[in-house]
Amino acid sequence: MTAVTTQAGNLRRAQAQRAARADKHQFSRAERWRRRGPLLPALVFTIVVTQIPFLVTIWYSLHSRNLLRPDSDLFVGLANYVDIARDSVFRQTALNSVIITLGCVLVAMVLGIVLAILLDRPFRGRGVARTLLITPFLIMPVASSVLWSMAMLNPTYGLFNWTLGLVGIDPVDWTSTYPIVAILMALVWQWTPFMMLLVLAGLQAQPKDVLEAAAMDGAGWWRTFASITLPQLRRYIELGVLLGIIYVVNTFDQIYLMTAGGPGTASANLPFYIYQRAFLGFDVGQAAAMGVVVVIATIIVASAALRLIFRSFDVKE
């Protein structure tokens, strides 16, 4: 009788525990939905404006579609991807995209670090200097492109050629002779303030007691920068490089207004080449396939960079 009573008590306790776990699970699920509910409209909007167009782009990339021949819409499978893999211009523009993106981001980051270190020191007029240095990032890309192509790099009356003439160097037609260098000048000028702001935020977040301790131990400026400041700035530098790559790889305005991708396709990048194939060559199928390739490559690079950044945060913690 005692064994039966004990078994019944154990059974009731087990049922009560299962009911408690079910209630807790139901409560936690309701709590999660209560927290995520306000985000659902933003999620639906993001899916509508990004994922649905991307799926339509994939559908177009699997078809041979030319805007001049609307009745020539044929399903060709992966033929467009095979064609762009064999396209030497596509490979050249992909290389140009890498050169422009990495060149702009790396040079802008180095200049941003230098300017941030200078602005982190107190001096008279520092607020005015910061405002003036931030200004290029606030100018529209179209305006900055016109400024650089007309006022700075013009072979007849540009400021660069006027400066070179002071030392006896003949004028240079930058946008025709060195088109990628001309584009990099405009992009670096525009993106250096952004990198400077990120690095400056990292410098101001440094613990001052650590810097004072290093100074008391006799560490010089370079030793303090290399051993304390630079490791502290690592996550800010990585974030700046990641954001710079994501945005600069989509550069279009500077190329369209300064060089038009020329001479020929010497300075065209992937977004500009996609524009040429879609709106000048009217080949929507291959343009869509190129867009899909660019999106996938960007996602891969961004995911790898984000993983490195999160890993550095985990190591820090």
Side-chain angles (χ1 to χ4, degrees):
M1 186 68 176
T2 304
V4 173
T5 303
T6 302
Q7 185 175 4
N10 293 335
L11 180 60
R12 285 194 296 272
R13 284 195 295 271
Q15 291 175 348
Q17 291 175 356
R18 285 196 297 269
R21 285 196 297 269
D23 292 340
K24 182 179 180 181
H25 177 70
Q26 186 70 22
F27 174 77
S28 63
R29 185 167 61 179
E31 180 69 15
R32 289 197 298 269
W33 276 108
R34 185 183 68 82
R35 294 179 179 179
R36 297 172 182 174
L39 299 177
L40 286 179
L43 178 61
V44 172
F45 176 78
T46 303
I47 292 175
V48 169
V49 301
T50 61
Q51 302 308 310
I52 294 179
F54 182 64
L55 293 177
V56 174
T57 303
I58 294 176
W59 183 85
Y60 275 126
S61 71
L62 301 177
H63 289 72
S64 175
R65 183 180 180 87
N66 193 296
L67 295 179
L68 298 180
R69 298 189 302 274
D71 56 343
S72 63
D73 189 359
L74 299 174
F75 179 80
V76 294
L78 300 178
N80 287 324
Y81 295 93
V82 175
D83 290 339
I84 65 175
R86 297 172 178 173
D87 188 355
S88 60
V89 178
F90 179 81
R91 293 193 296 270
Q92 179 188 352
T93 54
L95 179 60
N96 290 343
S97 296
V98 174
I99 294 174
I100 293 173
T101 302
L102 293 183
C104 170
V105 171
L106 295 179
V107 175
M109 178 56 70
V110 172
L111 294 177
I113 292 174
V114 173
L115 293 176
I117 293 174
L118 295 177
L119 291 178
D120 191 47
R121 301 173 179 271
F123 60 89
R124 182 177 300 178
R126 182 172 63 171
V128 177
R130 288 181 177 180
T131 303
L132 293 176
L133 288 174
I134 293 171
T135 301
F137 188 67
L138 304 179
I139 297 177
M140 295 296 293
V142 173
S144 67
S145 302
V146 174
L147 172 67
W148 275 89
S149 61
M150 301 300 294
M152 302 294 292
L153 302 178
N154 189 276
T156 304
Y157 50 82
L159 182 60
F160 265 55
N161 284 321
W162 177 80
T163 305
L164 294 177
L166 296 178
V167 294
I169 301 177
D170 295 333
V172 178
D173 190 353
W174 293 93
T175 56
S176 297
T177 308
Y178 308 105
I180 292 182
V181 175
I183 293 170
L184 282 176
M185 288 181 184
L187 288 175
V188 169
W189 180 77
Q190 183 181 5
W191 280 95
T192 296
F194 176 77
M195 305 300 181
M196 180 194 70
L197 288 176
L198 283 179
V199 176
L200 187 59
L203 288 174
Q204 294 181 348
Q206 287 185 110
K208 303 303 180 183
D209 53 345
V210 176
L211 298 177
E212 294 174 357
M216 293 180 61
D217 290 340
W221 177 86
W222 174 252
R223 183 65 180 273
T224 303
F225 176 78
S227 301
I228 299 177
T229 303
L230 196 58
Q232 170 72 20
L233 295 177
R234 176 183 172 184
R235 60 181 60 182
Y236 297 91
I237 294 175
E238 290 176 347
L239 180 61
V241 170
L242 172 62
L243 295 177
I245 289 175
I246 292 175
Y247 284 103
V248 176
V249 76
N250 295 314
T251 297
F252 180 84
D253 303 40
Q254 286 82 358
I255 295 176
Y256 181 80
L257 293 172
M258 295 180 65
T259 66
T265 56
S267 61
N269 64 349
L270 287 176
F272 188 81
Y273 187 49
I274 292 173
Y275 157 78
Q276 287 183 317
R277 295 304 298 267
F279 297 102
L280 299 181
F282 304 103
D283 194 340
V284 177
Q286 287 199 6
M290 293 178 190
V292 172
V293 171
V294 172
V295 169
I296 293 175
T298 304
I299 291 175
I300 293 174
V301 173
S303 299
L306 285 173
R307 184 170 300 178
L308 290 176
I309 293 177
F310 291 150
R311 185 177 301 173
S312 67
F313 273 83
D314 295 337
V315 171
K316 182 69 176 179
E317 294 173 356

